[in-house]
Amino acid sequence: IQAAWNLKTRALTEMVYVDEIDMDQEGIAEMILDENAIAQVARPGTSLKLPGTSQGGGPSPAVRPVTQSGRPITGFVRPSTQSGRPSTMEQAIRTPRTALTARPITSASGGYVRPGTASMLTNPDGPFINLSRLNLTKYAQKPKLAKALFEYIFHHENDVKNALDLAALATEHAQFKDWWWKVQIGKCYYRLGLYREAEKQFKSALKQQDMVDTILYLAKVYLRLDQPVTALNLFKQGLDRFPGEVTLLCGIARIYEEMNNISSAAEYYKDVLKQDNTHVEAIACIGSNHFYSDQPEIALRFYRRLLQMGVYNCQLFNNLGLCCFYAQQYDMTLSSFERALFLAENEEETADVWYNLGHVAVGIGDLNLAYQCFKLTLVNNNDYAEAYNNLAVLEMQKGHTEQARALLQTASSLAPHMYEPHFNIAILSEKVGDLQRSYTAAQKSEEAFPGHVDTQQLIKQLKEHFAML
């Protein structure tokens, strides 16, 4: 598992638009008939689509950066969170993936790697198995062979249709008494986007055999249906039957973190560490939480623990450098960032390190060095919205208004979920007398971060100006 902690602070500046849904009668009828449809307006605290409505009092975007979906940045990049999943059956069938792609293995299973399928690489002379010529009915009557064949078709070839056909024939041959085949059918339905059918299969399998893996699959179905509360209840029921199970505790913590209930997530991550004190994800997330809670010294202890465990990558040294800087241990700051640059595996990681070095330069007052660091960030990653925003602030301090405006517009288009570029455009436009543009940008800033006091004051001032006119 590679941990990827993104401690990108936005301390330099003082400072998702969602269109209203118009549904006609046909659209409403489709919603009623579609079992997989998700409610457009969910109750507060019951949806992952509106994490800001959580009752847990999570951190504001001014303290902790948020993702495009509005969730606070976590301490760990998890399986299936960054890979695009098929949303329809047609898309799932038409976009095959093989074992040679970069898709994480654990996102296809409930959390366990299957090493046997990785060794079945395709021969240069032709495919290992020609699926089109297989007589699935014959193989379905041989249980031991059928299970190995299903693993190959599903995990290596990613031919969900043939895998589903084989699983259906095999479970019929087993007279619907084999829980393992029900789980495999549920996995196929999940991959095809048929979540309600997958739910029925997983529930039936749980009645026959209580397994942690099946609970994890069923929770994935509920999360895809945007029912986090149901998934939480399922995990807690699983903990009653499997006390202290690390994967279930970690699943609860992930859901709380996605719902912006950081305090509850931290408690469950601590419970994970009580069971397994080498759990990388729990240590990383607790350390990230302490960093954003203005406790860099405690976060430093957690990241040092990861270093002692043998985790040795760019992200860890990047975070060690940030923690050392904010804990005023300046002797270790630059050496940690140097090591992070040395260990960076791609341009995105290099961009993160240069961006944080830019913040270090701002902290010591060397604005020329900060300017160069933010420029190097954009050289490595041209879509880095935070770097555009901070470069605009530096340009504004130099008096280059037009360059600052262009950079801010680029930042706001790249990351409409960030409130800083919108607020900075509003401030800049208000200073040059363009009150209409300032008001529009301030409204976007308020939508991205409703609790930002400076934005509210600016809107109030602009309304007073308009009233006078």
Side-chain angles (χ1 to χ4, degrees), residues 304-361:
R304 283 178 58 193
R305 167 67 176 163
L306 289 174
L307 201 59
Q308 293 169 353
M309 285 167 46
V311 179
Y312 193 77
N313 55 27
C314 168
Q315 292 86 358
L316 179 57
F317 281 101
N318 181 23
N319 292 350
L320 281 170
L322 273 177
C323 290
C324 288
F325 175 69
Y326 284 103
Q328 299 182 5
Q329 299 182 14
Y330 301 118
D331 54 336
M332 291 292 296
T333 302
L334 290 180
S335 60
S336 296
F337 281 126
E338 286 176 2
R339 187 66 57 86
L341 284 172
F342 176 74
L343 293 172
E345 297 180 353
N346 52 51
E347 292 182 343
E348 285 76 13
E349 294 178 2
T350 307
D352 280 342
V353 179
W354 280 117
Y355 177 80
N356 290 328
L357 276 169
H359 270 292
V360 172

Side-chain angles (χ1 to χ4, degrees), residues 78-98:
R78 302 178 180 115
S80 78
T81 56
Q82 291 193 334
S83 60
R85 299 293 302 225
S87 57
T88 62
M89 187 188 301
E90 291 80 4
Q91 187 180 356
I93 294 174
R94 291 175 185 173
T95 48
R97 299 183 185 88
T98 67

Side-chain angles (χ1 to χ4, degrees), residues 217-285:
Y217 284 126
L218 186 55
K220 285 180 68 173
V221 170
Y222 286 133
L223 290 177
R224 188 48 59 93
L225 289 171
D226 195 25
Q227 296 179 2
V229 177
T230 309
L232 283 174
N233 294 332
L234 177 68
F235 278 135
K236 290 174 181 176
Q237 291 169 8
L239 282 175
D240 293 336
R241 304 192 294 272
F242 302 96
E245 174 61 40
V246 171
T247 52
L248 300 181
L249 289 169
C250 193
I252 294 174
R254 289 177 180 178
I255 295 175
Y256 275 129
E257 203 167 33
E258 289 185 3
M259 293 174 69
N260 207 4
N261 193 342
I262 305 298
S263 57
S264 298
E267 291 299 322
Y268 275 96
Y269 278 129
K270 289 175 183 176
D271 291 339
V272 170
L273 291 182
K274 289 176 185 176
Q275 304 294 330
D276 179 11
N277 56 9
T278 61
H279 199 276
V280 178
E281 179 179 349
I283 296 174
C285 290

Side-chain angles (χ1 to χ4, degrees), residues 30-261:
E30 289 177 4
M31 290 282 290
I32 294 172
L33 297 174
D34 188 2
E35 287 186 342
N36 297 317
I38 295 173
Q40 299 293 339
V41 182
R43 288 175 295 175
T46 62
S47 172
L48 298 177
K49 306 294 182 185
L50 300 171
T53 61
S54 171
Q55 299 147 349
S60 70
V63 177
R64 188 167 186 166
V66 296
T67 61
Q68 183 79 35
S69 60
R71 298 201 302 266
I73 287 179
T74 58
F76 200 86
V77 172
R78 302 178 180 115
S80 78
T81 56
Q82 291 193 334
S83 60
R85 299 293 302 225
S87 57
T88 62
M89 187 188 301
E90 291 80 4
Q91 187 180 356
I93 294 174
R94 291 175 185 173
T95 48
R97 299 183 185 88
T98 67
L100 305 178
T101 61
R103 183 166 175 265
I105 297 175
T106 50
S107 67
S109 67
Y112 300 100
V113 180
R114 305 188 183 274
T117 58
S119 62
M120 296 182 181
L121 297 176
T122 305
N123 294 327
D125 300 332
F128 181 72
I129 295 176
N130 193 336
L131 299 180
S132 61
R133 296 184 178 181
L134 287 181
N135 185 352
L136 297 180
T137 306
K138 181 179 75 171
Y139 288 106
Q141 296 172 359
K142 302 175 181 179
K144 295 180 181 178
L145 185 60
K147 290 183 178 181
L149 181 61
F150 176 88
E151 297 277 335
Y152 175 80
I153 297 174
F154 185 83
H155 291 287
H156 184 273
E157 294 298 326
N158 202 62
D159 191 341
V160 182
K161 181 180 179 297
N162 280 323
L164 180 59
D165 290 342
L166 176 61
L169 292 169
T171 192
E172 187 177 351
H173 179 262
Q175 297 179 351
F176 305 98
K177 294 179 180 179
D178 192 340
W179 64 271
W180 191 86
W181 282 114
K182 293 184 179 181
V183 172
Q184 309 316 310
I185 294 174
K187 286 160 63 175
C188 293
Y189 281 143
Y190 178 84
R191 190 76 68 84
L192 292 171
L194 302 172
Y195 303 122
R196 289 299 181 187
E197 283 76 5
E199 177 191 7
K200 294 174 185 175
Q201 295 294 331
F202 291 140
K203 280 185 173 180
S204 178
L206 277 175
K207 288 180 182 178
Q208 288 185 342
Q209 182 72 36
D210 210 0
M211 294 288 290
V212 175
D213 215 25
T214 313
I215 295 174
L216 295 174
Y217 284 126
L218 186 55
K220 285 180 68 173
V221 170
Y222 286 133
L223 290 177
R224 188 48 59 93
L225 289 171
D226 195 25
Q227 296 179 2
V229 177
T230 309
L232 283 174
N233 294 332
L234 177 68
F235 278 135
K236 290 174 181 176
Q237 291 169 8
L239 282 175
D240 293 336
R241 304 192 294 272
F242 302 96
E245 174 61 40
V246 171
T247 52
L248 300 181
L249 289 169
C250 193
I252 294 174
R254 289 177 180 178
I255 295 175
Y256 275 129
E257 203 167 33
E258 289 185 3
M259 293 174 69
N260 207 4
N261 193 342

